[in-house]
Amino acid sequence: MVTAAIPDSLVLTPVPVLPDVPDTLRQAIRQLHAALGPAAAALRPEVLEQACVGYLTLHPTGRIERAGLLAVADMDLPNTTERLWVLDLANARVLHRSLVAHGEGSGHLRARRFSNIEASACTSLGFYRTADTYDGIHGYSRRIEGLDKGQNANAYDRYVVLHAADYASPEYIRRHGHLGYSRGCPALPPAQFKAIIASVRVGSMLLLSGPGLSSRWLDGAAAGRRFLARGWR
């Protein structure tokens, strides 16, 4: 007897509440989420909080240089949804929203397995700094540097980069019912990749969020102090 394939669950994994985030910062993040409007309706508030806390913790360290901008992908969302956002924090604007592929080792519709290992073909969770652009086998691409030891620190050596892929397009979903898969890269739609790569220029922050994310940069107390002193700058 042939057993039918069981489809991926579309029930999202709950995102743990971050400890030690001051009420003033939580309120500011809620206000930011509301101000971002319909384009950010599918961006879960808890994932936005992760991104904002990481940004506020990282920026003062000099590991990211570009102020007021962050990119965040919720890899727990199905890959049939636009689950990558590029945000202008100072002006509360969604600059870009797009599809983004995950690694073939990470799952089917939703990314469920993550790895920092060279041959895993998995997405690696955590915070990244955007680096230089180059023309490679996928054309115009941007390197990214993992900032979380043990989770994504091998990304640069694994050639995990932002690049375009035909399998990351709405047309691919219409034909196959899901996106295709990378070797771990957050691959982007051909119609949007140039604008997205240009917007996250060198020194910007990218968060790939998903189940089991753990990072030293999710420091609620440090983020609160930074926000009180400088806001989103």
Side-chain angles (χ1 to χ4, degrees):
M1 183 178 70
V2 177
T3 303
I6 300 173
D8 278 0
S9 168
L10 297 181
V11 178
L12 301 183
T13 307
V15 179
V17 175
L18 295 179
D20 303 322
V21 178
D23 289 342
T24 51
L25 178 55
R26 281 222 159 94
Q27 180 63 25
I29 295 170
R30 285 195 293 268
Q31 291 172 349
L32 171 65
H33 191 270
L36 290 170
L43 175 54
R44 291 187 284 173
E46 300 89 350
V47 174
L48 177 61
E49 182 172 273
Q50 289 177 337
C52 289
V53 166
Y55 162 79
L56 290 165
T57 305
L58 273 164
H59 189 238
T61 70
R63 288 173 175 84
I64 58 168
E65 300 95 335
R66 189 170 180 197
L69 183 138
L70 62 82
V72 54
D74 184 351
M75 305 305 268
D76 195 39
L77 292 172
N79 63 13
T80 52
T81 64
E82 293 181 317
R83 55 183 179 169
L84 170 72
W85 292 263
V86 181
L87 306 178
D88 175 348
L89 298 178
N91 296 300
R93 293 174 54 221
V94 177
L95 301 179
H96 303 284
R97 182 186 178 192
S98 84
L99 298 165
V100 60
H102 56 252
E104 65 180 341
S106 286
H108 180 50
L109 276 179
R110 293 167 54 219
R112 301 179 178 189
R113 298 177 296 278
F114 307 95
S115 177
N116 195 33
I117 297 173
E118 175 69 34
S120 66
C122 285
T123 294
S124 299
L125 298 181
F127 290 93
Y128 294 82
R129 174 190 181 270
T130 59
D132 57 309
T133 59
Y134 68 101
D135 286 313
I137 61 172
H138 299 289
Y140 180 53
S141 306
R142 186 178 290 283
R143 293 180 175 89
I144 55 176
E145 301 168 344
L147 301 175
D148 282 297
K149 187 176 180 180
Q151 280 204 109
N152 65 10
N154 293 334
Y156 197 92
D157 292 337
R158 289 176 62 200
Y159 290 94
V160 172
V161 303
L162 296 170
H163 67 77
D166 290 340
Y167 58 74
S169 66
E171 292 75 20
Y172 194 97
I173 294 174
R174 284 193 285 271
R175 292 198 306 270
H176 301 281
H178 57 83
L179 288 189
Y181 308 100
S182 70
R183 297 294 296 170
C185 298
L188 302 168
Q192 293 178 271
F193 82 104
K194 285 185 179 178
I196 292 171
I197 287 175
S199 69
V200 291
R201 61 180 185 263
V202 174
S204 299
M205 192 203 83
L206 166 67
L207 169 63
L208 299 186
S209 178
L213 172 66
S214 175
S215 174
R216 62 180 288 202
W217 310 115
L218 294 174
D219 186 333
R225 291 191 296 271
R226 175 66 173 189
F227 185 76
L228 186 63
R230 297 284 301 272
W232 299 120
R233 295 178 289 112

Short mmCIF file of all heavy atoms in Angstrom, two decimals, residues 65-67 69 129-133 140 142 195-205:
data_model
loop_
_atom_site.label_atom_id
_atom_site.label_comp_id
_atom_site.label_asym_id
_atom_site.label_seq_id
_atom_site.Cartn_x
_atom_site.Cartn_y
_atom_site.Cartn_z
N GLU A 65 27.11 48.97 10.47
CA GLU A 65 27.40 50.40 10.39
C GLU A 65 26.23 51.23 9.91
O GLU A 65 26.21 52.43 10.15
CB GLU A 65 28.58 50.63 9.44
CG GLU A 65 29.87 49.95 9.85
CD GLU A 65 30.08 48.60 9.18
OE1 GLU A 65 29.08 47.95 8.78
OE2 GLU A 65 31.24 48.19 9.05
N ARG A 66 25.29 50.62 9.26
CA ARG A 66 24.21 51.41 8.67
C ARG A 66 23.08 51.59 9.67
O ARG A 66 22.48 50.62 10.13
CB ARG A 66 23.68 50.75 7.41
CG ARG A 66 22.72 51.67 6.67
CD ARG A 66 22.36 51.16 5.31
NE ARG A 66 21.45 52.07 4.67
CZ ARG A 66 20.70 51.78 3.64
NH1 ARG A 66 20.77 50.57 3.11
NH2 ARG A 66 19.89 52.66 3.12
N ALA A 67 22.80 52.83 10.01
CA ALA A 67 21.78 53.13 11.01
C ALA A 67 20.40 53.25 10.37
O ALA A 67 20.26 53.67 9.22
CB ALA A 67 22.12 54.45 11.71
N LEU A 69 18.14 51.09 9.39
CA LEU A 69 17.62 50.14 8.40
C LEU A 69 17.91 48.73 8.85
O LEU A 69 18.99 48.44 9.39
CB LEU A 69 18.26 50.39 7.03
CG LEU A 69 17.75 49.49 5.90
CD1 LEU A 69 17.54 50.28 4.63
CD2 LEU A 69 18.72 48.32 5.65
N ARG A 129 25.68 40.61 8.93
CA ARG A 129 26.11 41.90 8.39
C ARG A 129 26.25 41.75 6.88
O ARG A 129 26.88 40.81 6.40
CB ARG A 129 27.44 42.32 8.99
CG ARG A 129 28.03 43.59 8.38
CD ARG A 129 29.47 43.79 8.84
NE ARG A 129 30.04 45.01 8.29
CZ ARG A 129 30.69 45.05 7.13
NH1 ARG A 129 30.85 43.95 6.39
NH2 ARG A 129 31.18 46.20 6.69
N THR A 130 25.66 42.67 6.12
CA THR A 130 25.81 42.61 4.68
C THR A 130 27.20 43.10 4.29
O THR A 130 27.72 44.06 4.86
CB THR A 130 24.74 43.44 3.96
OG1 THR A 130 24.83 44.81 4.38
CG2 THR A 130 23.35 42.91 4.26
N ALA A 131 27.79 42.43 3.31
CA ALA A 131 29.15 42.75 2.87
C ALA A 131 29.11 43.20 1.40
O ALA A 131 28.12 43.75 0.94
CB ALA A 131 30.07 41.56 3.09
N ASP A 132 30.19 42.95 0.68
CA ASP A 132 30.34 43.48 -0.67
C ASP A 132 29.49 42.73 -1.70
O ASP A 132 29.02 41.63 -1.45
CB ASP A 132 31.81 43.43 -1.09
CG ASP A 132 32.37 42.01 -1.01
OD1 ASP A 132 32.22 41.36 0.04
OD2 ASP A 132 32.95 41.54 -2.01
N THR A 133 29.32 43.36 -2.86
CA THR A 133 28.63 42.72 -3.99
C THR A 133 29.66 42.19 -4.97
O THR A 133 30.82 42.62 -4.99
CB THR A 133 27.69 43.71 -4.71
OG1 THR A 133 28.45 44.83 -5.18
CG2 THR A 133 26.58 44.19 -3.79
N TYR A 140 24.54 39.21 -10.17
CA TYR A 140 24.73 40.21 -9.12
C TYR A 140 24.31 39.64 -7.77
O TYR A 140 23.16 39.22 -7.58
CB TYR A 140 23.89 41.44 -9.47
CG TYR A 140 23.94 42.61 -8.52
CD1 TYR A 140 25.14 43.17 -8.11
CD2 TYR A 140 22.75 43.17 -8.06
CE1 TYR A 140 25.16 44.26 -7.26
CE2 TYR A 140 22.76 44.27 -7.21
CZ TYR A 140 23.97 44.81 -6.81
OH TYR A 140 23.98 45.89 -5.98
N ARG A 142 25.16 39.61 -3.20
CA ARG A 142 25.78 40.29 -2.06
C ARG A 142 26.16 39.27 -1.00
O ARG A 142 25.33 38.46 -0.56
CB ARG A 142 24.84 41.34 -1.46
CG ARG A 142 25.55 42.17 -0.36
CD ARG A 142 24.68 43.26 0.24
NE ARG A 142 24.40 44.36 -0.65
CZ ARG A 142 25.25 45.34 -0.95
NH1 ARG A 142 26.48 45.32 -0.46
NH2 ARG A 142 24.88 46.31 -1.75
N ALA A 195 16.97 45.56 -6.56
CA ALA A 195 16.56 46.65 -5.67
C ALA A 195 16.82 46.28 -4.21
O ALA A 195 17.26 47.13 -3.41
CB ALA A 195 15.10 46.98 -5.89
N ILE A 196 16.56 45.04 -3.85
CA ILE A 196 16.76 44.62 -2.46
C ILE A 196 18.25 44.61 -2.12
O ILE A 196 18.68 45.15 -1.09
CB ILE A 196 16.14 43.23 -2.21
CG1 ILE A 196 14.61 43.32 -2.31
CG2 ILE A 196 16.56 42.68 -0.85
CD1 ILE A 196 13.90 41.98 -2.28
N ILE A 197 19.07 44.02 -2.99
CA ILE A 197 20.51 43.97 -2.74
C ILE A 197 21.10 45.37 -2.65
O ILE A 197 21.97 45.65 -1.81
CB ILE A 197 21.20 43.13 -3.83
CG1 ILE A 197 20.89 41.65 -3.61
CG2 ILE A 197 22.71 43.36 -3.82
CD1 ILE A 197 21.42 40.73 -4.69
N ALA A 198 20.61 46.28 -3.49
CA ALA A 198 21.12 47.66 -3.45
C ALA A 198 20.72 48.37 -2.17
O ALA A 198 21.48 49.18 -1.64
CB ALA A 198 20.60 48.43 -4.66
N SER A 199 19.53 48.06 -1.63
CA SER A 199 19.05 48.76 -0.45
C SER A 199 19.78 48.32 0.82
O SER A 199 19.95 49.12 1.74
CB SER A 199 17.54 48.57 -0.28
OG SER A 199 17.22 47.23 0.05
N VAL A 200 20.20 47.06 0.88
CA VAL A 200 20.91 46.57 2.07
C VAL A 200 22.41 46.66 1.80
O VAL A 200 23.13 45.66 1.84
CB VAL A 200 20.46 45.15 2.48
CG1 VAL A 200 19.05 45.18 3.00
CG2 VAL A 200 20.58 44.15 1.32
N ARG A 201 22.87 47.86 1.56
CA ARG A 201 24.27 48.04 1.21
C ARG A 201 25.18 47.68 2.39
O ARG A 201 24.71 47.40 3.48
CB ARG A 201 24.53 49.47 0.74
CG ARG A 201 24.25 50.57 1.73
CD ARG A 201 24.55 51.93 1.09
NE ARG A 201 24.42 53.02 2.03
CZ ARG A 201 23.33 53.77 2.15
NH1 ARG A 201 22.28 53.55 1.38
NH2 ARG A 201 23.29 54.77 3.03
N VAL A 202 26.47 47.70 2.11
CA VAL A 202 27.47 47.21 3.08
C VAL A 202 27.23 47.77 4.48
O VAL A 202 27.05 48.97 4.66
CB VAL A 202 28.89 47.58 2.61
CG1 VAL A 202 29.92 47.19 3.67
CG2 VAL A 202 29.23 46.88 1.31
N GLY A 203 27.23 46.87 5.46
CA GLY A 203 27.07 47.28 6.85
C GLY A 203 25.66 47.29 7.36
O GLY A 203 25.41 47.74 8.47
N SER A 204 24.71 46.78 6.58
CA SER A 204 23.32 46.68 7.04
C SER A 204 23.13 45.39 7.82
O SER A 204 23.92 44.45 7.72
CB SER A 204 22.36 46.69 5.84
OG SER A 204 22.46 47.88 5.10
N MET A 205 22.05 45.34 8.59
CA MET A 205 21.74 44.16 9.38
C MET A 205 20.64 43.34 8.74
O MET A 205 19.64 43.88 8.27
CB MET A 205 21.29 44.55 10.79
CG MET A 205 21.22 43.37 11.77
SD MET A 205 20.11 43.66 13.17
CE MET A 205 18.51 43.22 12.46
#
